[in-house]
């Protein structure tokens, strides 16, 4: 242990032990509206499976929460391969919302997560308000901490966002899901619009407890030798390091416009603790780690430990004290 930094979870407190001498304990708890999480780092939807696929690399119960890949009411096959293409500062994906459907997930995957004591957030999607409500209707109240309504998948109908640009349509979805479940509802929004601040306001009015910012940026990669798209579906969503400034800007703008009354979860290009600190300073109450997990499946746990170490080094006693500090 000597000379290394390590962290152990003790309730909502992470204690940093460095070279045998104890640095101040950092309170890692964070509130997303009515949901209080013991840690500020979650997995990002679509990057950590539907169940406990990441369990060989870490204890999912140590993370603030685990967000599972978006589920439709019905099973959904997804897009033709190739579904991933590397980009210079990240990657493009067009997975196309592959999933087993809510009923199979509740039957097969949720029990695995419950047995592990995971705080599970379920991402849901649909093509109509009714489909979202149908997905929500299949969810139990127990064993789930929140529903993340994915209003922003770039890989449906060739990137023709059905909801992400439209405050009213987004609000109708959130309203319908809220009327269907007793769970807190978070809304995941898109960077592929100049209306993200408006959409955030509309979903808040409709009863969203938080917004998750941001989903991937629409992109396209072409093989010039063949003239064909590198992804089977054509366009895809860009994620990874290139997305981080986009996410920081979106979080900052939404926090500036709506204040601390609308909790924000930041996601986009987080692979280090300092990246999480940046999103918290911009106004996020928690962060999600996504594409970094493809490089290092232990990334969510490492980012959480690095964030705590970052706070301890700077004398930040509570992660929550960082939230919105760039607005002070
Ligand atoms: O499955 C996907 O292709 C996908 C989804 Br649901 C999403 O929300 N964002 C993304 O980049 N890919």
């Amino acid at each position: 242990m000597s000379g290394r930094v390590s962290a152990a979870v003790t309730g909502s407190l992470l204690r940093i032990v460095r070279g045998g001498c104890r640095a101040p304990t950092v309170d890692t708890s964070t509130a997303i509206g009515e949901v209080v999480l013991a840690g500020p780092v979650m997995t990002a939807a679509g990057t950590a499976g539907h169940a406990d696929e990441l369990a060989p690399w870490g204890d999912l119960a140590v993370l603030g929460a685990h967000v599972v890949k978006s589920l439709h009411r019905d099973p959904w096959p997804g897009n033709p391969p190739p579904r991933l293409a590397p980009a210079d500062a990240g990657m493009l994906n067009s997975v196309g919302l592959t999933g087993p459907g809510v009923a199979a997930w509740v039957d097969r995957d949720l029990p695995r997560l419950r047995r592990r004591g995971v705080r599970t957030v379920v991402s849901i999607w649909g093509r109509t308000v009714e489909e979202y409500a149908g997905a929500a209707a299949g969810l139990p109240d127990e064993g789930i901490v929140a529903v993340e309504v994915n209003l922003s998948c770039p890989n449906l109908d060739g990137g023709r966002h059905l909801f992400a640009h439209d405050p009213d349509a987004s609000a109708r979805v959130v309203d319908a899901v809220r009327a269907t479940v007793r769970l807190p509802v978070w809304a995941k929004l898109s960077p592929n619009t100049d209306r993200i601040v408006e959409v955030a306001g509309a979903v808040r009015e409709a009863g969203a407890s938080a917004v998750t910012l941001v989903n991937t940026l629409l992109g396209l990669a072409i093989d010039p030798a063949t003239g064909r798209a590198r992804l089977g579906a054509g366009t895809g969503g860009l994620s990874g390091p290139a997305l981080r400034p986009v996410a920081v800007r979106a979080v900052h703008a939404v926090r500036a416009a709506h204040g601390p009354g609308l909790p924000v979860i930041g996601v986009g290009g987080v692979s280090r603790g300092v990246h999480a600190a940046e999103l918290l300073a911009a106004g996020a109450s928690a962060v999600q780690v996504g594409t970094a997990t493809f490089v290092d499946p232990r990334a969510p746990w490492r980012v959480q430990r690095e964030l705590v170490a970052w706070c301890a080094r700077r004398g930040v006693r509570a992660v929550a004290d960082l939230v919105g500090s760039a607005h002070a």
Side-chain angles (χ1 to χ4, degrees), residues 69-70 79 93-98 150 152-155 188 215-216 237:
K69 180 160 178 61
S70 298
N79 285 342
N93 87 82
S94 187
V95 175
L97 303 123
T98 306
N150 186 356
S152 47
C153 177
N155 297 329
K188 185 164 181 180
N215 210 316
T216 52

Side-chain angles (χ1 to χ4, degrees), residues 1-6 15-23:
M1 180 78 58
S2 176
R4 288 174 49 214
V5 178
S6 70
R15 190 180 297 282
I16 305 301
V17 182
R18 187 204 286 264
C21 97
R22 294 202 159 189

Side-chain angles (χ1 to χ4, degrees), residues 42-51 53-54 66-71 83-84 91 93-99 121-125 148 150 153 155 188 215-216 239 267 288-294:
M42 312 176 197
T43 57
T47 63
H50 283 110
E53 290 90 332
L54 282 188
H66 172 46
V67 189
V68 300
K69 180 160 178 61
S70 298
L71 292 160
R83 289 173 164 184
L84 298 181
M91 69 179 193
N93 87 82
S94 187
V95 175
L97 303 123
T98 306
V121 175
V122 186
S123 172
I124 59 169
W125 72 276
E148 187 178 81
N150 186 356
C153 177
N155 297 329
K188 185 164 181 180
N215 210 316
T216 52
S239 61
V267 52
Q288 297 177 349
V289 175
T291 301
T293 306
F294 287 66

Side-chain angles (χ1 to χ4, degrees), residues 91-213:
M91 69 179 193
L92 282 169
N93 87 82
S94 187
V95 175
L97 303 123
T98 306
V102 165
W105 180 82
V106 169
D107 207 37
R108 188 189 65 196
D109 295 332
L110 181 58
R112 297 174 69 89
L113 294 166
R114 292 190 70 170
R115 275 197 296 277
R116 291 182 183 275
V118 177
R119 288 173 291 275
T120 300
V121 175
V122 186
S123 172
I124 59 169
W125 72 276
R127 290 160 300 176
T128 61
V129 172
E130 292 68 33
E131 286 186 0
Y132 279 99
L139 297 173
D141 291 334
E142 264 126 51
I144 297 171
V145 299
V147 179
E148 187 178 81
V149 176
N150 186 356
L151 295 164
S152 47
C153 177
N155 297 329
L156 197 57
D157 291 339
R160 207 171 47 83
H161 277 300
L162 301 176
F163 298 96
H165 309 285
D166 186 337
D168 294 335
S170 295
R172 282 197 295 279
V173 172
V174 168
D175 194 40
V177 172
R178 279 254 307 158
T180 309
V181 291
R182 275 189 275 166
L183 296 161
V185 173
W186 304 346
K188 185 164 181 180
L189 307 188
S190 173
N192 299 307
T193 171
D194 61 358
R195 304 185 76 187
I196 195 164
V197 169
E198 272 176 84
V199 176
V203 296
R204 178 198 195 175
E205 286 298 306
S209 313
V211 287
T212 305
L213 307 176

Side-chain angles (χ1 to χ4, degrees), residues 273-294:
V274 68
H275 304 156
E278 183 182 14
L279 278 167
L280 295 177
S285 300
V287 301
Q288 297 177 349
V289 175
T291 301
T293 306
F294 287 66

